[in-house]
Amino acid sequence: MTRGGRRAPAGRGRDGPLTRDLLRTPGGFGLGQVPARLAPDALTSMVCGFCSTGCLLDVHLRDGRAVNLTPSTRSPVNLGMACPKGWEALTPLDAPDRATTPLVRDGHGRLQPAGWPDALREMCDRIKAIQAAHGADSVAFLSTGQIPTEEMALLGAVAKLGMGMVHGDGNTRQCMATSVVAHKEAFGFDAPPYTYADFEASDVIVLVGSNLAIAHPIMWERVARNPHRPEIVVVDPRRTETAMAATQHLALRPKSDLVLLYGIAHLLIERGWVDHDFVAASTTGFEAVREAMRAYPPDVVAAESGLAVEQLEHVAATIGRGERVSFWWTMGVNQSHQGVRTAQAIINLALMTGNIGRPGTGANSITGQCNAMGSRLYSATTSLFAGRDFTDPDHRAEVARIVGVPVECIPDRPSWSYDRIVEGIHRGEIKGLWVIATNSAHSWINQTDLHELLDRLDLLVVQDMYRTTETAQRAHVVLPAAGWGEKDGTFISSERRVGLVKRVRAAPGQALADFAIFKLVADTWGCADLFRRWSDPEAVFGILRELSAGRPCDMTGIHGYDDIEAAGGIQWPYVAADRERPAAETAERRLFAGGRFPTPDGRARFVVDEPVAPVERVDAQYPLVLLTGRGSSSQWHTQTRTAKSPTLRLLHPSELHVEVHPDDAAPLGIESHDEVEVRSRRAHLRARAFVTPTVPPGSVFLPMHDPAVNRLTFASFDPHSRQPSYKHCAVAVRPVGR
Ligand SMILES: Nc1nc2c(c(=O)[nH]1)N[C@H]1C(S)=C(S)[C@@H](COP(=O)(O)OP(=O)(O)OC[C@H]3O[C@@H](n4cnc5c(=O)[nH]c(N)nc54)[C@H](O)[C@@H]3O)O[C@H]1N2
Ligand SMILES: Nc1nc2c(c(=O)[nH]1)N[C@H]1C(S)=C(S)[C@@H](COP(=O)(O)OP(=O)(O)OC[C@H]3O[C@@H](n4cnc5c(=O)[nH]c(N)nc54)[C@H](O)[C@@H]3O)O[C@H]1N2
Ligand code: SF4
Ligand SMILES: [Mo]
């Protein structure tokens, strides 16, 4: 036994039967051919691989190869629409910097091409050596919300059940952790309750910290289709594209959301806009809320949030009088120092007004990446498969039985969160790291010491489509991965819809589907026998189906990929009885109808807390708050994919711009297009100024797509979700060269 109480592995990596097959077949696994299920000159549909909307795209094949795509008209999700990223989704696959062969760093520090067996042996031997010396939990992995669910599940199984790892988290920590915790505490399960039809059915739509027009353009199109002339309330310090189209824009002081939401609750209670029947039948904890909300009268809230008392009265009346009010939130809430309580304050408003479980209502967290929802349920990082708990012996026994592994293989403690893994490297507890489909060296908060920490690792393995990412550049071993369009599996969208992705292109060179890579790692490690049932993505889907039985995310009614194909995507839950229902009834469904929730007593829970100030304060030296987020609908995160499309590059600025309010720019003599320096207490960067009243005075905005931005951000975290607070730190701006 080792420090972590987990078995330390023995023996060396070897070529198992799979790896030997691979050796005999240069190019590997026949990835060059279009799968038998697709006719060579046909149209086939699959879900987009960028955002969580899950638009269905029709892919046009010629001689078995995808040559074009158009948005599908047969899906209720996107109704024939796609945003620029969807239209351009095939282009990044052809980029010249694709990783086409495994790379291993040589004695001179250079990454050199290697064969798969050598790279896999290098990886496994070094992990085993580290674990033997420092314990099984001294090697961790970081994964993603962007690979198919089947691949995520296989990774979780191979790394934790097969290789003895304990700690593995995902980039979803940067994105969704807050909503996960808020949902579990309030609803009893991590379940976004809505369907996109709710955008069209509401008479009031409240968007908190969400720039839907840019980050989820097709959901925004669904809002535009709403025939009820809805009131659209946008809560965002910036006058975003979304806020410009709103009927009420609450440009609150950054990070004053919790006070604002409590102030709205105060007014709803005072003015008698509480649905007491719903509260009595379907919730617990309202009396504590009523008591706590006394402390948030409009004058106090106005002073804290920078809004006018009339604005507060107006928004409360809009919500109170609305018949079908839906509340939606994204990163302006999740990425804050008190994200979980803020999300729950939104849930409180929906519960106290009875706006949940009916068409056009809901407390609705919008997810980010194409498969964030698959990661939340099946990646075996934070929770055990299908929303189970690693610490619950019954849950472990159930999973061991279904998956067919000895129960001792399943860790009995949850993983460290991403920030704790990074801290583990700092403390010398984590010596090896395997990074899959995330670009930490650009996207993680406060990069100041991350690069140095990554360099300190005894082993960094990076598995990515591209060899040029900031993280791959620092790796000892790079494993070349196939991307979206080059492999099979399923994604789960924001509205819980399971959709198919397919291999419609050959991966370049020796790149392999992540699924194949995980199988080869297991083979080389010597634990492939444990995963014999996990033979291909559809077989794994079958295992996940079994794991979902009786859980709120039950999908036992989906018998296989053909069902998903025929329906164009199926929302969970979907049980055997759903198969008998008319398709129109199951096409678009929401949760919690009848006011029942998956808590032990069937009731939703109100949660309240004391608002606290963000950790890093502005002062005379650093007088401005830095907000960060998405820059345009044509840029995706760290730009490894979207920057490869000439069309998408035309749709966004070619240089980094910082948005500065005229009142802040004037005294500094800054005009649009001037080169400026943005400095935080940790680092500085150069950018062009864009002087604009869309940012509030006292704040500046930088898009997250430039690697320099996270050298400025300040590492503070929500205490309950450990999600980084990317949207608040103190900076100064000054002109350069004058
Ligand atoms: N084009 C494009 N689309 C994407 C992505 C992408 O990279 N590019 N990424 C996808 C992913 S993974 C995600 S998670 C989503 C993110 O989708 P969003 O969350 O909508 O995008 P962000 O721009 O990060 O943040 C939303 C807004 O939060 C605001 N904000 C900042 N601080 C506060 C605050 O204190 N209070 C409030 N109320 N608002 C605040 C910002 O001004 C910003 O307009 O987008 C998804 N879609
Ligand atoms: N300042 C600031 N920072 C932020 C945010 C912010 O708002 N502000 N937002 C945060 C959020 S919400 C998110 S989700 C993160 C995103 O941060 P990241 O996850 O780092 O962003 P991506 O650029 O999407 O990185 C995905 C990586 O996976 C690779 N990849 C794509 N498909 C595949 C595949 O199929 N297999 C493999 N093996 N690799 C693949 C891509 O080439 C890329 O290198 O950023 C966070 N960082
Ligand atoms: S809205 Fe999202 S899912 Fe739809 S095409 Fe654009 S990136 Fe793809
Ligand atoms: Mo995200």
Side-chain angles (χ1 to χ4, degrees):
M1 296 297 267
T2 64
R3 187 185 67 220
R6 307 265 294 152
R7 278 168 299 114
R12 292 174 53 78
R14 66 205 174 106
D15 297 345
L18 269 176
T19 321
R20 281 198 297 274
D21 272 0
L22 186 74
L23 270 176
R24 277 201 296 271
T25 346
F29 289 119
L31 268 183
Q33 278 85 50
V34 82
R37 64 162 76 224
L38 299 181
D41 290 301
L43 201 64
T44 187
S45 45
M46 60 197 267
V47 171
C48 174
F50 285 103
C51 90
S52 62
T53 307
C55 294
L56 198 66
L57 304 172
D58 286 338
V59 180
H60 306 245
L61 302 171
R62 188 180 302 145
D63 300 329
R65 183 175 185 273
V67 289
N68 199 0
L69 55 79
T70 45
S72 171
T73 50
R74 77 180 177 108
S75 165
V77 172
N78 51 316
L79 308 156
M81 301 177 278
C83 83
K85 295 184 297 302
W87 281 100
E88 273 297 287
L90 291 170
T91 311
L93 300 177
D94 296 326
D97 63 337
R98 285 294 300 270
T100 54
T101 158
L103 302 170
V104 175
R105 201 168 288 280
D106 68 12
H108 306 288
R110 280 186 298 257
L111 282 171
Q112 299 286 5
W116 271 107
D118 289 344
L120 292 164
R121 263 198 310 272
E122 176 84 11
M123 169 181 175
C124 289
D125 285 353
R126 288 175 70 172
I127 293 179
K128 285 184 182 195
I130 294 169
Q131 288 182 324
H134 304 284
D137 55 359
S138 60
V139 179
F141 69 91
L142 290 174
S143 81
T144 184
Q146 293 179 55
I147 60 177
T149 312
E150 294 79 355
E151 299 190 338
M152 291 174 182
L154 180 60
L155 167 63
V158 169
K160 291 197 168 177
L161 280 46
M163 299 165 78
M165 291 187 201
V166 176
H167 304 303
D169 203 13
N171 64 1
T172 37
R173 179 74 57 182
Q174 299 162 297
C175 180
M176 289 300 142
T178 287
S179 291
V180 172
V181 177
H183 287 155
K184 281 187 179 167
E185 290 181 3
F187 301 149
F189 194 78
D190 178 23
Y194 55 93
T195 181
Y196 303 147
D198 291 320
F199 283 123
E200 297 180 22
S202 303
D203 58 8
V204 180
I205 295 171
V206 183
L207 293 158
V208 189
S210 160
N211 190 3
L212 207 64
I214 293 296
H216 300 91
I218 302 305
M219 293 192 204
W220 185 237
E221 291 297 330
R222 299 290 299 264
V223 173
R225 285 168 48 92
N226 182 314
H228 309 290
R229 301 178 60 82
E231 194 74 21
I232 301 176
V233 180
V234 169
V235 181
D236 194 313
R238 294 192 305 139
R239 192 164 171 75
T240 59
E241 294 78 353
T242 315
M244 286 176 199
T247 54
Q248 295 178 45
H249 174 207
L250 302 183
L252 80 177
R253 197 166 285 147
K255 304 295 155 292
S256 63
D257 300 68
L258 192 55
V259 173
L260 168 66
L261 293 161
Y262 287 170
I264 296 174
H266 173 102
L267 285 169
L268 291 170
I269 296 168
E270 286 280 301
R271 305 281 187 272
W273 280 313
V274 171
D275 181 342
H276 290 288
D277 292 342
F278 182 85
V279 167
S282 300
T283 70
T284 55
F286 181 65
E287 278 317 307
V289 175
R290 186 206 290 278
E291 197 49 43
M293 294 304 111
R294 285 188 210 285
Y296 304 92
D299 53 331
V300 169
V301 174
E304 287 272 316
S305 63
L307 298 169
V309 169
E310 299 73 52
Q311 286 178 291
L312 304 176
E313 295 277 1
H314 185 35
V315 73
T318 305
I319 294 169
R321 297 202 178 108
E323 303 215 326
R324 297 177 308 279
V325 185
S326 57
F327 300 85
W328 310 81
W329 78 87
T330 326
M331 292 309 116
V333 171
N334 283 5
Q335 293 170 344
S336 62
H337 67 292
Q338 248 185 327
V340 171
R341 293 299 178 247
T342 308
Q344 287 165 332
I346 298 173
I347 296 174
N348 291 353
L349 294 183
L351 293 177
M352 73 173 67
T353 54
N355 275 302
I356 198 154
R358 292 183 288 115
T361 67
N364 303 331
S365 150
I366 303 170
T367 62
Q369 304 168 78
C370 48
N371 200 19
M373 222 37 239
S375 162
R376 283 154 69 164
L377 288 174
Y378 293 107
S379 65
T381 50
T382 312
S383 57
L384 186 55
F385 299 118
R388 290 180 175 84
D389 191 344
F390 278 104
T391 60
D392 183 328
D394 295 337
H395 284 182
R396 290 199 303 276
E398 217 171 18
V399 168
R401 179 178 53 74
I402 296 168
V403 173
V405 297
V407 72
E408 308 75 60
C409 290
I410 304 177
D412 58 5
R413 53 193 167 121
S415 164
W416 281 346
S417 53
Y418 198 140
D419 63 301
R420 183 66 185 83
I421 291 174
V422 172
E423 193 190 319
I425 306 174
H426 184 73
R427 293 191 193 174
E429 296 159 335
I430 297 288
K431 301 279 190 188
L433 190 65
W434 181 13
V435 178
I436 302 101
T438 185
N439 189 6
S440 312
H442 173 144
S443 57
W444 183 242
I445 197 161
N446 181 7
Q447 294 280 328
T448 329
D449 57 356
L450 184 72
H451 290 190
E452 189 242 318
L453 289 179
L454 293 178
D455 293 344
R456 203 190 284 179
L457 287 164
D458 291 348
L459 178 67
L460 175 63
V461 179
V462 174
Q463 185 167 323
D464 203 285
M465 291 169 67
Y466 303 97
R467 58 183 153 71
T468 50
T469 74
E470 288 86 358
T471 317
Q473 290 292 308
R474 319 193 89 83
H476 301 106
V477 178
V478 176
L479 302 178
W484 171 92
E486 298 168 342
K487 55 190 182 175
D488 298 312
T490 58
F491 287 166
I492 309 180
S493 77
S494 245
E495 57 164 3
R496 314 177 313 284
R497 191 178 297 278
V498 184
L500 287 181
V501 290
K502 298 174 187 170
R503 189 194 335 143
V504 291
R505 278 283 183 98
Q510 296 181 42
L512 292 173
D514 293 286
F515 193 91
I517 299 175
F518 301 139
K519 291 285 287 181
L520 289 176
V521 169
D523 195 50
T524 310
W525 188 269
C527 62
D529 282 353
L530 277 181
F531 307 106
R532 231 173 303 146
R533 264 188 77 202
W534 306 56
S535 53
D536 59 71
E538 193 163 5
V540 172
F541 183 80
I543 298 172
L544 301 182
R545 216 181 128 245
E546 281 178 55
L547 285 163
S548 78
R551 312 281 305 160
C553 56
D554 197 322
M555 52 178 191
T556 47
I558 309 175
H559 289 175
Y561 287 175
D562 286 347
D563 284 354
I564 305 173
E565 175 77 60
I570 302 175
Q571 285 178 295
W572 64 256
Y574 192 85
V575 295
D578 290 320
R579 298 182 69 85
E580 312 306 321
R581 292 166 65 186
E585 268 182 32
T586 54
E588 294 188 284
R589 288 170 304 139
R590 68 192 56 76
L591 303 178
F592 312 148
R596 302 310 291 165
F597 296 87
T599 48
D601 61 3
R603 290 158 177 270
R605 300 184 197 103
F606 285 97
V607 186
V608 277
D609 211 339
E610 282 287 313
V612 296
V615 183
E616 194 178 56
R617 306 290 177 90
V618 292
D619 60 15
Q621 216 182 343
Y622 297 97
L624 301 167
V625 170
L626 172 64
L627 307 173
T628 67
R630 276 74 199 154
S632 74
S633 67
S634 58
Q635 287 161 294
W636 181 258
H637 296 163
T638 75
Q639 287 271 63
T640 67
R641 288 193 279 166
T642 36
K644 309 293 158 55
S645 155
T647 310
L648 294 179
R649 281 204 306 273
L650 285 176
L651 297 175
H652 62 78
S654 55
E655 285 178 287
L656 179 64
H657 281 70
V658 58
E659 296 175 18
V660 189
H661 190 273
D663 291 355
D664 295 317
L668 297 166
I670 293 173
E671 291 178 12
S672 279
H673 306 297
D674 284 354
E675 191 177 14
V676 296
E677 182 193 77
V678 185
R679 177 179 289 275
S680 77
R681 293 188 175 97
R682 293 151 292 283
H684 60 91
L685 59 74
R686 295 271 173 104
R688 295 263 162 216
F690 176 32
V691 179
T692 166
T694 54
V695 278
S699 295
V700 296
F701 176 80
L702 279 169
M704 64 165 295
H705 311 295
D706 189 287
V709 171
N710 277 321
R711 295 203 275 272
L712 303 183
T713 47
F714 174 74
S716 73
F717 302 89
D718 175 277
H720 308 284
S721 68
R722 304 308 298 169
Q723 179 156 345
S725 175
Y726 283 108
K727 290 175 164 43
H728 196 283
C729 76
V731 295
V733 176
R734 67 172 184 90
V736 172
R738 269 194 275 141

